[in-house]
Amino acid sequence: MTRKQKRTFLLFAVFIAAGLALGLTLTALRTSITYFYTPSELLVLDAPPANTIRLGGLVEDGSLVHGEMSGVDVKNAVVSFTVTDGGATTAVRYAGLLPDLFREGQGVIVQGRLDERGTLIADTVLAKHDENYMPKEVMDALKEQGLWQDGEEVGS
Amino acid sequence: MNQQTTTESTRPSIEQAERVIFSASGLAVSRGGRPVLTNISVRAEPGDAVVLRGPNGVGKTTLLRAFAGLLRPDHGEVLFTDAADAGRIRDRSEASVFCGVLNAHKAALTLRENLNFWAALYNAPQTRIEAASAQLKLDPYSDYPAGALSTGLARRLGLARLMIAQRPVWFIDEPTASLDSASSENFVAQVEVHRRRGGLVVIATHDPLPLSGARIFELTTKVAA
Amino acid sequence: MSALGAIIARDIRLAFRAGGGAAQGVTFFALTGVMFALAVGPDIALISKIAGPVLWTGALLATQISLDQIWRADREDGSLDVLVETSDMLALTALAKAFAHWAATALPLIIATPILGVMLNLPAEAYAPLAISLAIGTPGLSLIGCIAGALVVSLPRAHLLIAIIVSPLYVPILIFGSGAAMSDVGAPQYGANLMLLGATVLFAAILSPLASAAALRSNLD
Amino acid sequence: MNLLNDLANPVRFERYARMIFPAVLGFALLTGAAGLYFALFNSPADYQQGEAVRIMYVHVPAAWMSMFCYSVMAGASAVGFIWKHPLADVAAKETAPLGAGFTILALFTGSLWGKPMWGAWWVWDARLTSVLVLLFLYLGYMALWRAIPDKARAARLAAILAIVGFVNVPVIKFSVEWWNSLHQPASIIRADGPTIDGAMLTPLLLMIAAYMSAYVAMLLPSIRNELTARRLARLQFVDETRAAELVEQ
């Protein structure tokens, strides 16, 4: 095929590639925003996700239980608490050091796997200093639950 | 250099090479920011043989590379026009082939694999590979790895690419430097065949090649002011 | 197309012949894995957790050390002039060379991954993410590497220079690739990482041939 | 556009440079002094970070300048590459070390600032990491210039690298932010704080103006030096060999 045909074919290929790259980026961004669950979303799911998930929400007041020794892992104390987004709650068990900013009533994101009883066995817990650093997604999710009024001071 | 897109011409078969006029006008080339060549103008018709001479390092190779479009001149223009209808400008990738002092073959490939590779690049049919190998008497060495060839044989392999390319304008740098006298005569004969078919050659060399009616050019810096 | 096909076939044949680049990449890749395990010690839990990123970094470094040869070998024996002379579009030739480099160095790595994965106690469900992310990501390494190779082609030895030039440009591919390799197949970030990796490689596939061709044209004399 | 080709001829450039250099230098010193005064004495300590926030007045302009210089470098490279504008190549070449200097300053002050807050000299915070990668882009560009003996060729190749680098900066920045959010969904303490109230803004803007004019004040003489160096190099060649001409025998 002549040089001119080759050039148009190539230009066409470049456009396809550019479009595909853009599409991939946009879909990647869209799926990543909701990549954490809120307790009520978990409840509504018919089959609990088997792999590691992220759970976002507030640590329910009074739900924090320290030092409960689990038979298997004596080394670090197991902590259990429940995370709520106003709608539903999910029990969380975590063996390891809690970040010092972690307190009841504070925003938190927990990463781990759900066991058969629906309790999240967490391997990482990420706490926030104060509200305006809470990731936007958690804020939106909490607003949807009506638990969050704009500008209201939460935590210390 | 305004490059008109020409339609894909039919591949010139080995019998008749297309007739092209080569012309360079007002060429100036610099290397490493240093002016090496200035106001170079030359014109060659089908059948011509242009021989470039000059002391070492004066810029013969640089000039050949500029002719072959492998080097961007500071200013001036290199043109290949169709001998039949002078208006039509031929695209360099169909008009010229450059063979420098390096033979452009891969040592790890056999001689035949190298020839086949070039044939694919120059879109040459199988017949032309056999013809080129025969013309340079390389058939006995087809299965040798190119790295094992002597310098003379390697040079003949490099020159075989000119035959495979089958393009009207040949730019060659020191073609016969490492060839024995028989091979040298044989190569000159091939050049004469190419010229008779309407092709033209521009050769930078110090050897006194018996090219009939060759036009000798001297590259010199001591030009009368 | 046959010209581009010939270039790819020639480069792959050369890479797998004696002294070619292919074996070099895989051995370097294996060595990184083994050395890392030796350095970290037999703590299986730790090794298996970082096996993915270690293998990804190994693949990146293995690709990087062989970038020097993509263009230099051709320039030194004169075949670069032939490639330039016969190519309608030098960018297409650059794309072919990048593909040939990928096939010669990255493909053997991807094939060797399961063996190394076993040695580094890679958890069973991590094989697929690792192999897939390598398959999608390594072409990007060759494409960007092609630019660096073209930039330094006129220099006698430029391994270090190539490393400095490509490392920052490799950051996105390493992040998305290793990110995908580490996350479980079901996790949402796995898909997101792979998609971003693909987008970056596509972006490189458009940018790299143009930049390589421009660099080669400036390096011709 | 006539300014651009005005500047193309080095002699005229040197006249412009000599003219504006004292003014630019003066402006830099003035805004620098004012900025420092405001930063150190006349602005409130941050409600969370206390006095440590004052480093911000040195850090943020430096980080901003590192990015600005890279964009100038890429722009000048493009002009130099496309229109073969010799001065643009020199400007790009001389901007690189200055840009790298700002980047190192940004990294240094960044970690100084991080120590009191994050308790570590170096935190893989998204912004700091992007600035670190930018530093490698600068180093690669400068290394390429130095590695290639022939300046004309080096200019073209470095220009290609600068443009490729520039096009990749947003991708790199995004991937580092993504990487940061992947392992630590939201950075616990954001480096520059969500909002900067008025009192802090004036010293910051003064410092940015000071950095900018300091950059220009440093750039002009280095361009002049490079131009004279190249003129010397060319003189040295010319008298030895003259360009060859072709004469038919």
Side-chain angles (χ1 to χ4, degrees):
Chain A
M1 53 181 180
T2 67
R3 175 193 287 267
K4 198 187 290 295
Q5 281 167 324
K6 235 183 228 178
R7 260 187 222 287
T8 33
F9 168 73
L10 266 163
L11 214 58
F12 187 66
V14 165
F15 272 112
I16 298 281
L20 198 57
L22 202 63
L24 282 172
T25 317
L26 294 180
T27 19
L29 288 181
R30 217 159 15 78
T31 51
S32 74
I33 284 174
T34 56
Y35 72 77
F36 80 94
Y37 297 93
T38 56
S40 25
E41 278 170 4
L42 270 188
L43 221 57
V44 111
L45 284 180
D46 32 35
N51 42 49
T52 33
I53 54 153
R54 288 226 171 122
L55 179 71
L58 287 178
V59 179
E60 206 176 25
D61 287 331
S63 67
L64 193 55
V65 173
H66 274 284
E68 186 202 308
M69 285 302 160
S70 83
V72 166
D73 195 339
V74 177
K75 186 147 52 63
N76 19 34
V78 173
V79 173
S80 65
F81 52 91
T82 49
V83 170
T84 176
D85 60 0
T89 64
T90 319
V92 175
R93 282 162 59 79
Y94 171 64
L97 280 170
L98 281 174
D100 51 17
L101 305 169
F102 176 88
R103 273 187 305 285
E104 287 172 346
Q106 271 296 344
V108 73
I109 286 197
V110 187
Q111 183 176 305
R113 284 174 200 274
L114 285 168
D115 66 11
E116 9 16 283
R117 290 200 315 285
T119 315
L120 186 75
I121 310 302
D123 54 45
T124 32
V125 173
L126 297 144
K128 302 295 155 297
H129 172 54
D130 59 23
E131 77 293 350
N132 59 5
Y133 295 135
M134 183 175 286
K136 203 176 63 49
E137 313 91 347
V138 179
M139 290 273 275
D140 302 342
L142 294 181
K143 275 195 189 111
E144 274 150 30
Q145 302 302 322
L147 181 65
W148 186 269
Q149 285 76 30
D150 269 346
E152 185 222 333
E153 193 74 21
V154 165
S156 65
Chain B
M1 188 167 69
N2 48 18
Q3 201 149 15
Q4 275 161 321
T5 49
T6 56
T7 51
E8 191 87 29
S9 64
T10 52
R11 278 285 138 222
S13 65
I14 202 154
E15 288 66 32
Q16 44 85 24
E18 291 206 17
R19 301 168 62 78
V20 159
I21 298 168
F22 160 67
S23 72
S25 45
L27 218 54
V29 181
S30 58
R31 292 280 308 273
R34 185 172 64 86
V36 171
L37 301 164
T38 183
N39 66 55
I40 306 282
S41 294
V42 63
R43 176 188 163 87
E45 307 278 338
D48 271 2
V50 169
V51 175
L52 302 178
R53 290 227 161 78
N56 298 103
V58 74
K60 295 195 295 297
T61 302
T62 308
L63 181 57
L64 269 181
R65 291 183 74 91
F67 284 162
L70 293 172
L71 194 66
R72 194 191 333 275
D74 293 349
H75 34 76
E77 200 180 31
V78 173
L79 264 184
F80 301 89
T81 47
D82 202 304
D85 112 47
R88 205 153 71 86
I89 293 173
R90 300 304 305 282
D91 183 66
R92 167 179 281 114
S93 67
E94 291 159 2
S96 78
V97 54
F98 170 80
C99 177
V101 285
L102 295 173
N103 296 318
H105 63 264
K106 285 294 175 187
L109 296 180
T110 67
L111 187 137
R112 176 46 61 97
E113 282 169 337
N114 274 297
L115 290 178
N116 291 338
F117 175 64
W118 289 333
L121 288 189
Y122 289 96
N123 209 342
Q126 187 61 18
T127 54
R128 213 184 295 158
I129 301 174
E130 271 108 28
S133 178
Q135 281 157 5
L136 283 150
K137 303 182 175 48
L138 291 168
D139 293 340
Y141 312 98
S142 288
D143 303 323
Y144 279 52
L149 298 174
S150 71
T151 32
L153 281 174
R155 190 55 181 157
R156 274 152 63 180
L157 171 59
L159 294 170
R161 182 166 54 87
L162 295 169
M163 319 288 170
I164 289 182
Q166 195 55 54
R167 291 182 174 179
V169 180
W170 289 2
F171 296 120
I172 322 172
D173 198 351
E174 298 294 352
T176 54
S178 46
L179 295 187
D180 55 46
S181 54
S183 315
S184 196
E185 276 152 30
N186 172 41
F187 176 69
V188 168
Q190 302 303 335
V191 170
E192 296 298 68
V193 165
H194 175 68
R195 289 173 63 191
R196 272 199 303 281
R197 290 211 195 94
L200 67 90
V201 279
V202 179
I203 300 180
T205 181
H206 290 297
D207 300 347
L209 296 178
L211 290 161
S212 59
R215 296 161 56 195
I216 313 294
F217 284 76
E218 185 74 26
L219 254 180
T220 160
T221 52
K222 288 173 286 307
V223 178
Chain C
M1 276 310 144
S2 74
L4 296 181
I7 293 172
I8 293 173
R10 180 198 69 160
D11 272 15
I12 292 177
R13 190 179 303 135
L14 280 173
F16 284 98
R17 285 231 168 126
Q24 193 187 20
V26 181
T27 19
F28 186 91
F29 181 58
L31 278 178
T32 336
V34 169
M35 289 301 163
F36 213 91
L38 287 173
V40 164
D43 171 353
I44 293 188
L46 181 59
I47 293 181
S48 67
K49 198 164 190 308
I50 53 164
V54 163
L55 292 178
W56 241 99
T57 320
L60 184 140
L61 294 174
T63 310
Q64 196 171 291
I65 55 168
S66 59
L67 292 179
D68 196 40
Q69 277 316 328
I70 296 182
W71 298 105
R72 167 148 312 107
D74 288 342
R75 179 184 162 92
E76 268 155 15
D77 58 33
S79 40
L80 185 59
D81 290 340
V82 176
L83 292 179
V84 170
E85 184 178 73
T86 53
S87 65
D88 273 349
M89 265 168 277
L90 200 48
L92 269 179
T93 313
L95 198 61
K97 291 286 280 182
F99 176 80
H101 173 264
W102 175 75
T105 41
L107 265 188
L109 296 191
I110 297 169
I111 296 161
T113 313
I115 309 153
L116 260 175
V118 166
M119 221 168 36
L120 296 177
N121 318 99
L122 197 66
E125 71 278 3
Y127 278 83
L130 179 61
I132 294 169
S133 60
L134 280 174
I136 297 178
T138 43
L141 300 178
S142 294
L143 282 162
I144 295 177
C146 207
I147 305 175
L151 285 171
V152 300
V153 72
S154 64
L155 302 172
R157 297 162 325 291
H159 283 287
L160 183 60
L161 184 56
I162 284 188
I164 302 175
I165 290 176
V166 279
S167 320
L169 302 173
Y170 273 177
V171 161
I173 291 182
L174 181 65
I175 286 178
F176 298 136
S178 192
M182 277 196 298
S183 45
D184 308 327
V185 177
Q189 321 98 295
Y190 172 70
N193 271 314
L194 276 189
M195 283 189 259
L196 289 170
L197 184 63
T200 316
V201 170
L202 280 170
F203 174 65
I206 298 171
L207 175 73
S208 150
L210 300 172
S212 307
L216 284 175
R217 287 223 182 282
S218 308
N219 260 323
L220 269 185
D221 48 7
Chain D
M1 272 307 265
N2 72 345
L3 175 67
L4 204 57
N5 30 37
D6 244 10
L7 285 182
N9 125 12
V11 172
R12 199 163 302 131
F13 164 78
E14 259 152 44
R15 210 160 8 85
Y16 282 140
R18 204 165 294 114
M19 225 171 27
I20 62 171
F21 174 71
V24 165
L25 187 61
F27 182 74
L29 296 176
L30 202 67
T31 43
L36 280 179
Y37 165 71
F38 272 100
L40 295 179
F41 308 110
N42 196 338
S43 70
D46 180 68
Y47 66 96
Q48 280 170 330
Q49 300 154 16
E51 292 305 318
V53 78
R54 297 196 190 287
I55 301 178
M56 173 174 77
Y57 300 119
V58 183
H59 172 69
V60 171
W64 194 80
M65 279 306 285
S66 67
M67 196 50 230
F68 174 76
C69 284
Y70 198 83
S71 326
V72 165
M73 210 174 81
S77 298
V79 166
F81 188 81
I82 297 166
W83 290 294
K84 299 199 177 25
H85 192 300
L87 206 65
D89 292 336
V90 173
K93 177 176 187 290
E94 295 310 319
T95 298
L98 301 178
F102 283 121
T103 317
I104 292 166
L105 180 63
L107 288 172
F108 182 68
T109 49
S111 71
L112 259 184
W113 191 4
K115 180 77 173 101
M117 270 177 299
W118 297 321
W121 283 111
W122 176 258
V123 170
W124 289 97
D125 162 71
R127 252 170 313 285
L128 280 181
T129 317
S130 313
V131 172
L132 180 66
V133 175
L134 188 61
L135 179 60
F136 278 101
L137 284 173
Y138 274 114
L139 295 180
Y141 178 83
M142 290 191 282
L144 188 61
W145 259 105
R146 199 163 302 119
I148 297 172
D150 163 11
K151 284 304 158 229
R153 177 188 309 197
R156 293 185 64 75
L157 295 172
I160 295 169
L161 181 59
I163 295 164
V164 166
F166 184 68
V167 167
N168 272 291
V169 160
V171 182
I172 293 172
K173 246 184 155 13
F174 169 77
S175 66
V176 169
E177 244 109 41
W178 165 270
W179 162 81
N180 193 283
S181 73
L182 199 63
H183 301 290
Q184 187 203 22
S187 72
I188 293 181
I189 306 272
R190 295 163 66 91
D192 52 10
T195 53
I196 302 174
D197 59 39
M200 294 189 182
L201 210 50
T202 33
L204 202 57
L205 291 181
L206 276 172
M207 288 305 282
I208 288 182
Y211 275 54
M212 182 74 76
S213 35
Y215 156 66
V216 175
M218 289 185 276
L219 184 64
L220 294 179
S222 47
I223 289 184
R224 257 206 324 265
N225 297 349
E226 178 68 16
L227 286 179
T228 24
R230 290 191 183 187
R231 213 170 297 128
L232 281 178
R234 210 168 298 119
L235 281 180
Q236 174 232 350
F237 274 127
V238 167
D239 45 41
E240 271 157 33
T241 54
R242 250 204 342 261
E245 296 181 34
L246 200 61
V247 175
E248 183 157 14
Q249 298 309 299

